[in-house]
Amino acid sequence: MKAERWLELKEIVGGALDLPDEKRAAYLDQACGRNAELRGDALVPRPLEHRSRIAAVRACGEYPGPVPGDGGLADGAPGWENAGMPDRVEPFVVRVDEAALEDLRDRLRRARWPEREPVGDWSQGVPLDYLRELCAYWADGYDWRATEARLNQIPQFTTAVDGLDIHFLHVRSPHPGAVPLVMTHGWPGSFLEFEQVLGPLADPAAHGADAAAGVFDVVVPSLPGYGFSGKPATPGWDIHRIARAWAELMTRLGYERFLAVGSDWGTSVSTSLALQHPGRLLGVHLVPPLAPPDRTATDLTSDERAALADLDQRSRTGSGYSAIQGTRPQTIGYSLTDSPAGLCAWIVEKLWAWTDHPGDLSQVLTADQVLDNITLYWLTATGASAARLYWESIAQVTGWFTSAAGDTVTVPAACSIFPEEVPRPSRRQAERRFANIVYWNQPARGGHFAAWEQPRLFTSEVRAAAHCCIPVRKI
């Protein structure tokens, strides 16, 4: 193992030197998996008490030793076996060249705009004035460096799974008995959807809640082709292969049993995990579960009729993006990776349409939150690679919530159906596919991006889901 590798790791965790003493230990516990500590400016071993050496290696990568003359990190710590191991877990830091940010600003300032829409609403897409104002702020007001610094306070890692680099957040709880939890995002979101729930789930006591409410070790992977994960170079990375990759990731992190939570694509990936690895799941928390309506039923409730009407309306007027990404992701990808204004419009339309707000998106997501996510897509040039997941899986997933339920899921299932979500199956519809529903709730507020829009409500839903799932299946 090269000394430079550990010098890089020291740089990653070296940010802890600038933290107050009371925060430094917690940060390093997260970044190093509780297996190293900072002494002066050196990262040195901690005794391994409750986990095996191999599990510790899998949790935080190679072990540091002294660099002569540097007081820091170097080659070949005695007794550590995973140098060169293909399942190595590497710390990750977000670093964006200033030239990339300048290029983004320049493109925004030179954007070529179409004429104004001839309607007075969003029925033809994002209104010109709205987008121009947002892009002007993106060019001359938005601060990616602040976002970058904030994200680098969250423990982030990469590891190669099935030949592809997977980026993930890994926030360990300081409390004993934490439940392992893998949360999966969707499109056009990212790991940023879950940023505000990481702390409350891992350390509720530090966020004004009782630890007895439930504590979690939280893992948030970036989907293949999204964010800082690798981009598949060959077909085949569908939801089922992603689910298998997540199972391997959790194994690599030392978690034999875990809870799977997901929304959008994350719902389908979590469901696939339940189908392929039922023995490993404590349960699934689906936001929402995917199950088709019964169009022939004569006793539909008013809620079922309203949900069916919303689903049909979405299919008629709001699914063009899915048809394009599901059939020609490469074609739309050229625009999404070349024009930041085009990318912004493509994403913000769905954020505006799918969130629960009174006509003003900023009531639930600030401009900075919106641009954090869009900037992530831009800087990683993932417009095309993210769209390809539709080419891989949207036909099957659409069938799951429109016509055919698919295989029966037997693991404990917790279901949260937020009021502005589409689809919104009823419990009796979901029970035709999910045979062991242990929790069902319809929160008062929230849409498609529940964790992002309503982090407190979402956190409460996860805690309630875990409480109901785990007594059914003990770790």
Side-chain angles (χ1 to χ4, degrees), residues 39-60:
R39 296 179 188 169
D41 65 348
L43 195 66
V44 299
R46 283 181 177 167
L48 298 182
E49 298 172 354
H50 64 282
R51 65 173 71 180
S52 71
R53 187 172 294 265
I54 286 296
V57 169
R58 286 179 168 174
C60 68

Side-chain angles (χ1 to χ4, degrees), residues 234-281:
T234 58
W237 275 96
D238 62 3
I239 56 170
H240 305 297
R241 188 171 179 181
I242 293 169
R244 292 191 293 273
W246 278 199
E248 169 58 24
L249 173 63
M250 296 302 277
T251 297
R252 199 166 295 182
L253 297 176
Y255 300 128
E256 180 59 29
R257 305 290 304 284
F258 55 91
L259 187 68
V261 178
S263 60
D264 194 88
W265 284 121
T267 295
S268 300
V269 171
S270 299
T271 300
S272 183
L273 266 168
L275 292 170
Q276 296 187 74
H277 298 280
R280 294 194 58 190
L281 289 192

Side-chain angles (χ1 to χ4, degrees), residues 458-469:
F458 183 87
T459 299
S460 296
E461 289 297 291
V462 173
R463 290 172 179 157
H467 178 76
C468 291
C469 287

Side-chain angles (χ1 to χ4, degrees), residues 65-128:
V67 173
D70 181 73
L73 316 168
D75 289 353
W80 284 79
E81 300 92 344
N82 83 322
M85 284 178 63
D87 62 352
R88 177 167 79 186
V89 174
E90 301 276 2
F92 178 84
V93 65
V94 181
R95 292 195 196 95
V96 173
D97 290 340
E98 186 62 29
L101 298 176
E102 284 300 326
D103 175 68
L104 168 60
R105 298 182 190 110
D106 179 62
R107 289 170 183 259
L108 287 166
R109 292 168 186 148
R110 293 187 297 106
R112 184 183 183 195
W113 300 100
E115 68 280 0
R116 189 181 310 277
E117 66 284 354
V119 295
D121 55 24
W122 286 64
S123 61
Q124 290 192 1
V126 185
L128 178 63

Side-chain angles (χ1 to χ4, degrees), residues 7-282:
L7 291 172
E8 179 186 1
L9 177 56
K10 189 180 75 172
E11 181 181 351
I12 292 170
V13 300
L17 288 169
D18 299 323
L19 295 175
D21 289 345
E22 64 273 12
K23 292 185 178 180
R24 183 182 301 168
Y27 176 82
L28 289 169
D29 274 351
Q30 300 290 354
C32 303
R34 302 194 186 104
N35 294 308
E37 63 185 20
L38 202 65
R39 296 179 188 169
D41 65 348
L43 195 66
V44 299
R46 283 181 177 167
L48 298 182
E49 298 172 354
H50 64 282
R51 65 173 71 180
S52 71
R53 187 172 294 265
I54 286 296
V57 169
R58 286 179 168 174
C60 68
E62 298 92 351
Y63 212 82
V67 173
D70 181 73
L73 316 168
D75 289 353
W80 284 79
E81 300 92 344
N82 83 322
M85 284 178 63
D87 62 352
R88 177 167 79 186
V89 174
E90 301 276 2
F92 178 84
V93 65
V94 181
R95 292 195 196 95
V96 173
D97 290 340
E98 186 62 29
L101 298 176
E102 284 300 326
D103 175 68
L104 168 60
R105 298 182 190 110
D106 179 62
R107 289 170 183 259
L108 287 166
R109 292 168 186 148
R110 293 187 297 106
R112 184 183 183 195
W113 300 100
E115 68 280 0
R116 189 181 310 277
E117 66 284 354
V119 295
D121 55 24
W122 286 64
S123 61
Q124 290 192 1
V126 185
L128 178 63
D129 289 347
Y130 181 97
L131 192 66
R132 292 194 72 158
E133 181 179 351
L134 183 59
C135 287
Y137 175 68
W138 195 9
D140 295 310
Y142 172 74
D143 184 2
W144 169 259
R145 292 301 184 201
T147 299
E148 191 175 81
R150 189 183 76 244
L151 293 180
N152 283 333
Q153 297 301 306
I154 303 171
Q156 300 177 63
F157 304 86
T158 60
T159 189
V161 182
D162 196 7
L164 192 71
D165 285 341
I166 298 298
H167 163 264
F168 62 98
L169 315 180
H170 188 191
V171 181
R172 297 174 182 272
S173 176
H175 302 284
V179 175
L181 173 67
V182 60
M183 295 198 297
T184 309
H185 66 85
W187 184 93
S190 64
F191 66 86
L192 289 164
E193 293 179 50
F194 299 117
E195 181 185 3
Q196 296 178 79
V197 305
L198 298 172
L201 288 173
D203 190 4
H207 294 81
D210 190 338
V215 294
F216 303 87
D217 282 351
V218 186
V219 178
V220 182
S222 293
L223 289 165
Y226 288 68
F228 300 114
S229 282
K231 301 172 183 177
T234 58
W237 275 96
D238 62 3
I239 56 170
H240 305 297
R241 188 171 179 181
I242 293 169
R244 292 191 293 273
W246 278 199
E248 169 58 24
L249 173 63
M250 296 302 277
T251 297
R252 199 166 295 182
L253 297 176
Y255 300 128
E256 180 59 29
R257 305 290 304 284
F258 55 91
L259 187 68
V261 178
S263 60
D264 194 88
W265 284 121
T267 295
S268 300
V269 171
S270 299
T271 300
S272 183
L273 266 168
L275 292 170
Q276 296 187 74
H277 298 280
R280 294 194 58 190
L281 289 192
L282 298 166

